[in-house]
Amino acid sequence: MRPSSREMEEMDAIAAAGCLNASSRQISSSFHEQQENSEIPPFETPSHDDFLEQMLSVIPNCSHWPDLTSNPEIPVDAVHYPFDDSPLLSASKLRQHQINGADDSSVASKSFLLQQQLLLSGGVAGGGDSGLLPFPSSLASGDSVDTRLPVDRSQLDGGDGSVQALYNGFAGSVNENGQTANHQHFQAGTMPAQNYGAPATAALMNHTQGSASTGGSGPAPQRQRVRARRGQATDPHSIAERLRRERIAERMKALQELVPNANKTDKSSMLDEIIDYVKFLQLQVKVLSMSRLGGAAAVAPLVADISSEGGGVGRSSDGGQPTAAAASNENLIVTEHHVAKLMEEDMGSAMQYLQGKGLCLMPICRSTAANHHRHSPTSNGGISSNPRMASEGEGHASPNLSHLAVPSACVTDGAGGPDAAAMDAASASKP
Amino acid sequence: MNPHPSSCSNGRSIRTRFARRFLRALKKIGSKGSSSRPSPRDISWRCRRVKIAADASMASAVGPRRVWSRTMLNMLRSRSHACLHASRLGNSRRPGADRHAVGKRKRLVLKRKLPNRLGLNQVNQLRRLVPGGEAMDLDILLDETAHYIKCLATQVKVMRSIVDYCSA
């Protein structure tokens, strides 16, 4: 596109005028590159985003723009003042659209607005019109643009017109064929290239609306000048990846509601929570199934003390369930050794889970034993701490669990000390 | 503690189905030779039976719709077959099958100590926890986990309410 080269020169002049300096030269160099490499897919996101950012970073400098008005060659002058209103209007519209948050349609509408302004600028840059118009759509298609345009516009007073000129300069080089992955934008862009003025905007509107419905369906058939939204590639693989990631994210959110204490934003910690919770539930099922074995069985010699303990714990945790003692008796029936072993093996995970819930472990020396319960499978300390841990679990550990666990702990210890310890634990872990 | 009708209908139907099957299984277990003084081994055996009954009734209540329930049913069936065969050989074999599963869980707990990188360790853990999770994509795995957690919670609620009822 020859006019685009003229735009390049104009833009170089602008840059030389002292506003843009290094960034613009980078931009111009990147333009040159892009002009040459019109068909190369590596065009796609990274380079575009880079130069977009460069370009947009330039915009805040528009306090310097008035300097350019001195330069007669620069069409910026003519662009400047007539547009003081329209850019702001469009800026507010842009902002509005952005707030509404509709992705494709908002971008399309933004592109439309930009185009509108450019069209208003009329024959500013002579033969560069054809190059002008496709550009804003390409700009607008980047999310970075979406976020920055309104902000930058807010900074601009009369500099919008100059910005338009800047865009104009970019347009031709950037978008020669008007083909992108976000085909809606680019098709919308190419349309006005042929029709100037109001009809063009109308066509653009129709076109963007028409294509907005099909937007996001996948990569455009033509891969040249693929302009994807920021952070999103146009490769079908990456789109599938993106979909998969979104699905995973929404499943994680659903899981967050199921699992208690799910205020973690980190994915890995959320996974930890989920794992702990599953282990905990499985353990609960196991323990409850043990408690089910009621019926006549040997009553441990410590039943009297333990039932009072269990009753005490049950009362403190349940507010007076009469089942406490009975359940504890039930549990006593089960082999202490068996209970201890089972609990001990699974309790580790349950303990970690409950610990994560903010439970304070009993202030007894068992705390260390709790950590080392694995290599002391039959030690009293290890066994006693764990069930008590689970017994004092707050949200999830059921009251039944608590008075199931405590008696077993007492039974295994077989001493008066742990009973007092159990009481301590009960009182200590009640927040 | 009665099942609350305010819960989602899905949970309630699963809950009632599970409760019915579980109670039936409990009756069967309870009716099996309740001696005056069950030995520790008998008690432990019954423990396991109750747990198996709980899992089986849960899985069958869910039905074959879910991967985890299907896997669990298959596992239980194969295990029961193995147990039957083992019982023919000798009673001593029976606890062995379950001990194997228990041992697996121990290994699982130990592995937890390793530092988690990229969440891959956790995902593998989750796969091991959820029945049938080995051969699932991550998003399906998460879906199954959500359903599994829901059903486990239901199971716990029902069993707890049964315990309360029996003890009251």
Side-chain angles (χ1 to χ4, degrees):
Chain A
M1 289 246 226
R2 291 312 105 197
S4 58
S5 56
R6 194 170 1 137
E7 293 306 318
M8 288 297 306
E9 292 165 39
E10 281 175 348
M11 201 222 30
D12 284 343
I14 293 171
C19 182
L20 303 176
N21 292 341
S23 53
S24 68
R25 246 161 249 134
Q26 288 172 16
I27 295 167
S28 55
S29 60
S30 66
F31 288 156
H32 285 297
E33 285 172 24
Q34 288 166 5
Q35 260 190 319
E36 290 157 13
N37 313 330
S38 61
E39 300 199 3
I40 294 182
F43 234 177
E44 291 179 359
T45 0
S47 59
H48 280 205
D49 280 351
D50 287 346
F51 93 78
L52 254 185
E53 291 179 32
Q54 288 171 359
M55 192 188 58
L56 291 171
S57 64
V58 164
I59 293 173
N61 296 343
C62 37
S63 55
H64 298 295
W65 279 112
D67 298 338
L68 300 177
T69 59
S70 58
N71 191 336
E73 291 179 8
I74 298 168
V76 170
D77 297 357
V79 173
H80 248 328
Y81 304 104
F83 312 122
D84 283 349
D85 295 335
S86 57
L88 294 178
L89 258 182
S90 59
S92 60
K93 276 189 214 156
L94 275 174
R95 232 171 276 128
Q96 208 179 12
H97 282 292
Q98 201 178 22
I99 289 169
N100 291 342
D103 253 353
D104 290 346
S105 55
S106 70
V107 175
S109 52
K110 280 172 211 165
S111 67
F112 160 63
L113 290 168
L114 275 173
Q115 295 237 355
Q116 206 176 21
Q117 296 172 29
L118 285 178
L119 290 171
L120 284 176
S121 71
V124 167
D129 283 344
S130 57
L132 279 185
L133 300 167
F135 173 69
S137 60
S138 73
L139 250 200
S141 59
D143 278 353
S144 59
V145 180
D146 296 342
T147 55
R148 286 181 208 180
L149 274 179
V151 174
D152 294 331
R153 284 179 186 278
S154 63
Q155 297 171 6
L156 301 178
D157 296 340
D160 283 334
S162 52
V163 172
Q164 297 304 323
L166 187 59
Y167 289 173
N168 299 345
F170 293 3
S173 56
V174 166
N175 187 14
E176 295 182 0
N177 302 330
Q179 298 155 355
T180 65
N182 286 348
H183 50 276
Q184 59 196 25
H185 307 301
F186 276 86
Q187 287 165 12
T190 48
M191 279 283 292
Q194 298 141 20
N195 320 318
Y196 299 142
T201 62
L204 173 59
M205 267 278 262
N206 297 340
H207 203 80
T208 51
Q209 282 170 3
S211 50
S213 57
T214 62
S217 57
Q222 302 112 350
R223 292 183 143 253
Q224 302 156 1
R225 301 297 177 145
V226 162
R227 158 128 350 229
R229 286 188 296 196
R230 180 180 176 82
Q232 294 174 351
T234 56
D235 197 20
H237 297 298
S238 36
I239 284 185
E241 261 296 311
R242 197 197 339 147
L243 281 175
R244 184 172 162 269
R245 253 181 275 130
E246 284 170 3
R247 242 183 299 147
I248 289 178
E250 74 182 53
R251 299 268 162 83
M252 290 283 293
K253 257 189 229 124
L255 273 173
Q256 250 186 340
E257 290 157 26
L258 279 179
V259 175
N261 201 17
N263 48 5
K264 313 279 192 297
T265 50
D266 186 21
K267 189 174 161 197
S268 65
S269 56
M270 195 58 224
L271 272 177
D272 280 335
E273 281 290 326
I274 292 167
I275 289 170
D276 284 340
Y277 188 53
V278 170
K279 282 192 213 158
F280 178 72
L281 285 177
Q282 286 173 343
L283 171 70
Q284 262 194 318
V285 168
K286 205 170 257 195
V287 168
L288 277 171
S289 68
M290 282 189 301
S291 75
R292 203 53 48 82
L293 305 182
V299 172
L302 294 171
V303 159
D305 297 342
I306 290 157
S307 57
S308 65
E309 286 305 325
V313 170
R315 244 169 293 148
S316 65
S317 59
D318 298 325
Q321 257 192 1
T323 64
S328 62
N329 284 340
E330 263 183 27
N331 202 36
L332 288 177
I333 289 157
V334 184
T335 316
E336 6 186 292
H337 192 70
H338 175 72
V339 168
K341 207 161 208 164
L342 262 183
M343 283 207 172
E344 191 263 321
E345 277 165 356
D346 293 322
M347 214 45 116
S349 55
M351 204 176 58
Q352 286 165 10
Y353 174 77
L354 293 170
Q355 204 164 12
K357 297 297 161 282
L359 282 182
C360 58
L361 282 181
M362 56 296 300
I364 320 161
C365 58
R366 301 297 188 285
S367 59
T368 54
N371 289 332
H372 302 305
H373 69 279
R374 269 183 221 101
H375 46 78
S376 56
T378 53
S379 76
N380 291 339
I383 293 165
S384 64
S385 63
N386 298 341
R388 229 177 283 125
M389 245 305 308
S391 75
E392 304 310 329
E394 26 129 276
H396 292 286
S398 61
N400 288 345
L401 192 59
S402 66
H403 39 81
L404 289 176
V406 168
S408 68
C410 303
V411 167
T412 47
D413 280 346
D419 298 345
M423 280 301 285
D424 287 342
S427 53
S429 13
K430 273 300 165 190
Chain B
M1 202 163 31
N2 301 319
H4 300 291
S6 59
S7 64
C8 65
S9 63
N10 192 18
R12 181 148 72 136
S13 61
I14 286 183
R15 186 185 299 176
T16 49
R17 288 207 304 267
F18 164 69
R20 217 174 284 151
R21 286 163 216 246
F22 187 49
L23 288 170
R24 246 183 282 152
L26 277 182
K27 228 189 295 180
K28 232 191 288 180
I29 293 176
S31 65
K32 279 187 192 167
S34 53
S35 51
S36 61
R37 192 175 169 101
S39 66
R41 231 185 95 249
D42 283 343
I43 290 175
S44 63
W45 177 76
R46 274 168 74 180
C47 271
R48 250 175 237 114
R49 288 293 310 222
V50 169
K51 168 146 191 319
I52 291 171
D55 289 338
S57 42
M58 191 71 227
S60 60
V62 168
R65 288 193 305 258
R66 288 278 171 175
V67 180
W68 69 266
S69 61
R70 278 199 301 269
T71 317
M72 187 173 273
L73 286 171
N74 292 338
M75 210 169 52
L76 289 168
R77 252 179 236 137
S78 62
R79 194 193 290 177
S80 69
H81 289 323
C83 278
L84 280 175
H85 292 291
S87 64
R88 286 200 201 110
L89 297 173
N91 277 348
S92 57
R93 286 285 180 93
R94 214 185 290 122
D98 279 329
R99 198 139 295 170
H100 182 67
V102 162
K104 233 196 292 186
R105 198 163 284 181
K106 188 172 199 169
R107 282 202 301 276
L108 184 105
V109 171
L110 284 171
K111 266 203 184 122
R112 188 97 168 61
K113 295 277 183 165
L114 294 175
N116 289 328
R117 295 174 304 263
L118 300 177
L120 202 60
N121 196 13
Q122 294 157 315
V123 172
N124 291 337
Q125 272 184 299
L126 196 57
R127 283 184 198 274
R128 269 179 252 128
L129 276 178
V130 175
E134 307 284 339
M136 278 196 249
D137 291 339
L138 183 56
D139 45 3
I140 303 179
L141 176 69
L142 289 179
D143 203 20
E144 292 285 321
T145 307
H147 192 257
Y148 186 54
I149 285 180
K150 216 175 6 156
C151 293
L152 274 181
T154 313
Q155 200 175 2
V156 164
K157 263 186 241 156
V158 170
M159 289 171 78
R160 197 182 300 162
S161 58
I162 292 179
V163 168
D164 288 348
Y165 178 74
C166 291
S167 325

